[in-house]
């Protein structure tokens, strides 16, 4: 596998240093090794990137590019990711700590499928003709919103970049991307491939750096028309407030505290498996993680026993090993945060069933064993706040109304799961849950065509899906033409 690492700013299809000349390290959380020193973008670099993306947006080459051709460029980019899939998988695993089989078999193929899906959308974006009174022809044009600032997190670095980039480019926008400081490597590699695919200079600029420096400057910049953000609720609120200063269009995909509800009539084995992958997949660093497992009281004890066994089978280890199920927590700071929640669970009276141990692999790295708390009550901190680690909180419930009440008793509303063999109950619960995504007898299913995003403080706007992309990355112009001569 090639080990070349791109570490500079990607501006106007060239590698550049930060104006300050500064860098910051990105590390492999499984080993502590510094992978690269990355150019530390800040306001001056964001400005250069926005000027470049604005120029590209206004250039005839991009503005007048036939939408079929935009689609072909996106398809070509998908081909190039495919051709470099092993390298993407390896970079992602080394930068983030997730198991290689997840990076290579889930993250990379998902990114490819998103570019292919939105390649197909590029020439299917159009307005309508509206029957207005009088001698007028009235029609709408769907025009690209302009320069998009994309700010992405560290949990699915390549994938979430693709969630933003593919639809924005399909709609004819240009993009300045600020990837998470913990995991900038796959975004930088992707930028180079976008140029190779044929996207003109400035259509995609990538400025790595810190949130308060590069990220905040992007949100404030008057040359940026829209912000597409995925990350924490706290930062999402700041972004919405700051973007108001220049009336930017904002979409926010924020945190979650998603309930995974198991009724007594569920297929217990499937439900335990679904609850386990719902919280332990991706080390629990998943915005849609099923972190509150609501279990009907009559099966509660059997369920907890079975979940404990599965949790104990989640092998912690070197992310490159095929037997590893739990990789390294993305950073020491994140592991400290998660351990803080483990302590709060214990001190507020939840019962630690298994896990909760900070461990090292070959004497290094930030690892945590799969953790299950039982006897959790809905008001405990571990039942209310997003932990973003492999920590499950099991909460018993008495009946369907009780389950719905507990499930909705949080400020978040991203996702939810329902396990039951009763089809009527499944649909009723799906309707009554305040969540942007509901999985019935399944969990963590995604597709480029299916919209993803939250209710309540989990955000607004949707990633993925054709309609959501058009809403987010285009604006509507209404044209009136007098036709009576
Ligand atoms: P964060 O929200 O600070 O980081 C996400 C992105 O926002 C990064 O690219 C960061 O550089 C940028 N950012 C940070 N401050 C900014 C600002 N003031 N203006 C513009 N951009 C800014 O998340 P962090 O600190 O890495 O993780 C903390 C917690 O956030 C996690 O424990 C988890 O609960 C939650 N989170 C949720 C994610 C999700 O997928 N919904 C993803 C990442 C974190
Ligand atoms: Mg890293």
């Amino acid at each position: 596998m090639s080990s070349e690492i791109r570490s500079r700013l990607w501006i106007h299809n060239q590698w550049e240093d930060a104006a300050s000349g500064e860098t910051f390290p990105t590390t492999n959380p499984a080993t502590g090794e510094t992978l690269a020193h990355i150019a530390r973008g800040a306001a001056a670099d964001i400005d250069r990137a926005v000027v470049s993306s604005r120029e590209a947006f206004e250039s005839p080459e991009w503005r007048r590019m036939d939408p079929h051709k935009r689609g072909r460029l996106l398809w070509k980019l998908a081909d190039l990711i495919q051709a470099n899939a092993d390298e993407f998988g390896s970079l992602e695993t080394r930068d983030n700590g997730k198991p290689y089989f997840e990076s290579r078999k889930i993250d990379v193929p998902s990114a490819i499928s998103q570019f292919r899906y939105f390649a197909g959308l590029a020439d299917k974006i159009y307005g309508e003709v509206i029957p207005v009174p009088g001698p007028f022809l009235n029609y709408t044009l769907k025009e690209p919103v302009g320069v998009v600032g994309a700010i992405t997190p560290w949990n699915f670095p390549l994938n979430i970049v693709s969630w933003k980039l593919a639809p924005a480019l399909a709609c004819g926008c240009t993009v300045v991307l600020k990837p998470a400081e913990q995991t900038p490597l796959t975004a930088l590699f992707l930028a180079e491939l976008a140029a190779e695919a044929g996207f003109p200079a400035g259509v995609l600029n990538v400025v790595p750096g810190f949130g308060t420096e590069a990220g905040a400057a992007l949100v404030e910049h008057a040359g940026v028309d829209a912000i597409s953000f995925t990350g924490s609720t706290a930062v999402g609120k700041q972004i919405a407030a700051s973007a108001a200063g220049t009336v930017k269009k904002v979409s926010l995909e924020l945190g979650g505290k998603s309930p995974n509800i198991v009724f007594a009539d569920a297929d217990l084995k499937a439900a335990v498996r679904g609850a386990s992958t719902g919280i332990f997949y991706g080390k629990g660093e998943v915005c849609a993680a099923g972190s509150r497992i609501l279990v009907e009281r009559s099966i509660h004890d059997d369920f907890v026993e079975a979940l404990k066994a599965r949790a104990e089978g989640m092998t912690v280890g070197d992310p490159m090993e095929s037997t590893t199920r739990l990789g390294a927590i993305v950073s020491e700071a994140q592991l400290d945060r998660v351990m803080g929640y483990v302590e709060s669970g214990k001190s507020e009276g939840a019962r630690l069933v298994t896990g909760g141990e900070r461990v090292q692999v070959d004497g290094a790295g930030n690892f945590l064993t799969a953790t299950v708390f039982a006897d959790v009550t809905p008001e405990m901190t571990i039942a209310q706040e997003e932990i973003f680690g492999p920590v499950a909180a099991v909460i018993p419930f008495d009946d369907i109304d009780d389950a719905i009440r507990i499930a909705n008793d949080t400020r978040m509303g991203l996702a939810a799961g329902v396990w039951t063999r009763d089809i009527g109950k499944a649909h009723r619960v799906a309707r009554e849950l305040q969540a942007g995504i509901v999985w019935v007898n399944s969990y963590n299913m995604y597709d480029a065509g299916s919209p993803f995003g939250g209710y309540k403080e989990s955000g607004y706007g949707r990633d993925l899906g054709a309609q959501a992309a058009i809403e987010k990355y285009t604006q509507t112009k209404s044209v009136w033409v007098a036709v009576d001569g």
Side-chain angles (χ1 to χ4, degrees):
M1 254 172 254
S2 152
S3 58
E4 190 198 339
I5 285 184
R6 288 93 184 150
S7 59
R8 298 164 78 198
L9 316 175
W10 180 258
I11 297 181
H12 225 67
N13 282 2
Q14 287 188 51
W15 295 115
E16 306 259 353
D17 290 323
S20 66
E22 288 182 35
T23 63
F24 65 97
T26 189
T27 54
N28 179 340
T31 61
E33 170 206 4
T34 296
L35 294 167
H37 294 277
I38 305 292
R40 179 171 173 168
D45 308 295
I46 288 290
D47 187 56
R48 266 194 293 165
V50 173
V51 166
S52 152
S53 285
R54 171 63 50 195
E55 189 187 311
F57 183 69
E58 281 163 14
S59 70
E61 189 187 7
W62 182 245
R63 269 231 100 121
R64 304 215 188 111
M65 185 183 281
D66 168 352
H68 305 283
K69 180 161 180 206
R70 278 207 313 269
R72 284 198 300 278
L73 296 185
L74 284 162
W75 191 269
K76 177 84 191 295
L77 179 53
D79 287 342
L80 291 171
I81 301 170
Q82 178 98 62
N84 292 279
D86 291 344
E87 187 171 351
F88 271 110
S90 155
L91 276 178
E92 199 78 307
T93 283
R94 285 187 291 155
D95 215 4
N96 166 283
K98 64 175 70 190
Y100 179 71
F101 83 88
E102 287 184 14
S103 303
R104 180 63 186 83
K105 299 278 192 254
I106 301 172
D107 296 42
V108 175
S110 306
I112 294 167
S113 75
Q114 283 138 27
F115 281 103
R116 296 213 192 284
Y117 177 86
F118 288 106
L121 183 67
D123 57 6
K124 297 171 192 70
I125 298 167
Y126 44 77
E128 51 196 357
V129 177
I130 298 161
V132 292
F136 292 99
L137 167 65
N138 177 249
Y139 63 91
T140 59
L141 295 171
K142 289 285 181 192
E143 299 187 333
V145 73
V147 177
V148 172
I151 302 177
T152 54
W154 41 259
N155 53 343
F156 291 87
L158 174 67
N159 219 348
I160 294 179
V161 162
S162 307
W163 286 17
K164 315 280 186 209
L165 199 56
L169 299 181
C171 290
C173 295
T174 58
V175 177
V176 177
L177 166 66
K178 207 299 283 173
E181 54 272 33
Q182 296 85 349
T183 55
L185 300 182
T186 47
L188 291 169
F189 185 28
L190 185 69
E192 196 178 78
L193 295 187
E196 193 181 330
F199 285 100
V203 170
L204 169 62
N205 289 306
V206 182
V207 182
F210 291 92
T212 49
E213 299 174 0
L218 188 58
V219 176
E220 283 160 23
H221 203 293
V224 174
D225 300 290
I227 293 288
S228 182
F229 174 73
T230 298
S232 62
T233 299
V235 171
K237 289 178 185 178
Q238 286 173 29
I239 286 178
S242 157
T246 43
V247 197
K248 286 184 177 64
K249 195 168 174 179
V250 174
S251 68
L252 304 172
E253 200 268 277
L254 309 176
K257 193 69 197 174
S258 301
N260 203 350
I261 308 173
V262 184
F263 287 98
D265 62 8
D267 172 343
L268 188 62
K269 215 168 141 197
V272 171
R273 195 169 54 231
S276 169
T277 58
I279 182 62
F280 298 133
Y281 168 66
K283 311 166 256 168
E285 295 168 349
V286 178
C287 42
S291 51
R292 291 184 297 148
I293 304 176
L294 277 47
V295 183
E296 194 159 356
R297 209 174 289 276
S298 60
I299 57 161
H300 176 270
D301 294 355
D302 290 345
F303 183 93
V304 170
E305 265 318 295
L307 183 64
K308 174 176 190 273
R310 278 202 87 90
E312 288 171 356
M314 297 291 303
T315 311
V316 174
D318 174 356
M320 293 307 288
E321 279 293 330
S322 61
T323 50
T324 295
R325 288 295 166 272
L326 269 184
I329 302 294
V330 72
S331 64
E332 208 173 330
Q334 185 63 15
L335 180 53
D336 289 342
R337 265 188 98 229
V338 175
M339 289 310 294
Y341 283 110
V342 170
E343 288 314 312
S344 109
K346 289 183 195 165
S347 67
E348 290 180 22
R351 173 166 56 96
L352 180 63
V353 174
T354 187
E357 282 161 66
R358 198 174 185 141
V359 291
Q360 295 198 318
V361 171
D362 299 330
N366 317 314
F367 296 86
L368 172 63
T369 51
T371 306
V372 177
F373 278 104
D375 303 336
V376 178
T377 57
E379 66 286 352
M380 285 180 187
T381 308
I382 59 167
Q384 289 293 334
E385 293 184 15
E386 181 172 52
I387 298 176
F388 232 59
V391 181
V394 181
I395 306 172
F397 69 84
D398 294 312
D399 59 25
I400 184 168
D401 293 322
D402 196 32
I404 292 166
R405 186 184 53 76
I406 298 170
N408 288 338
D409 180 22
T410 146
R411 300 172 74 87
M412 315 279 203
L414 189 54
V418 185
W419 298 83
T420 175
R421 287 188 170 107
D422 178 337
I423 191 168
K425 195 192 279 181
H427 286 291
R428 179 180 156 203
V429 176
R431 271 174 187 249
E432 293 196 28
L433 288 171
Q434 296 160 353
I437 305 101
V438 178
W439 289 294
V440 176
N441 294 331
S442 59
Y443 208 87
N444 268 338
M445 305 307 299
Y446 298 84
D447 184 73
S450 183
F452 183 91
Y455 280 27
K456 304 199 284 191
E457 290 193 14
S458 291
Y460 48 76
R462 295 290 178 269
D463 284 307
L464 308 180
Q467 240 182 306
I470 293 168
E471 257 164 50
K472 211 158 137 169
Y473 297 111
T474 71
Q475 52 194 341
T476 304
K477 179 180 283 170
S478 173
V479 182
W480 291 77
V481 184
V483 290
D484 64 350

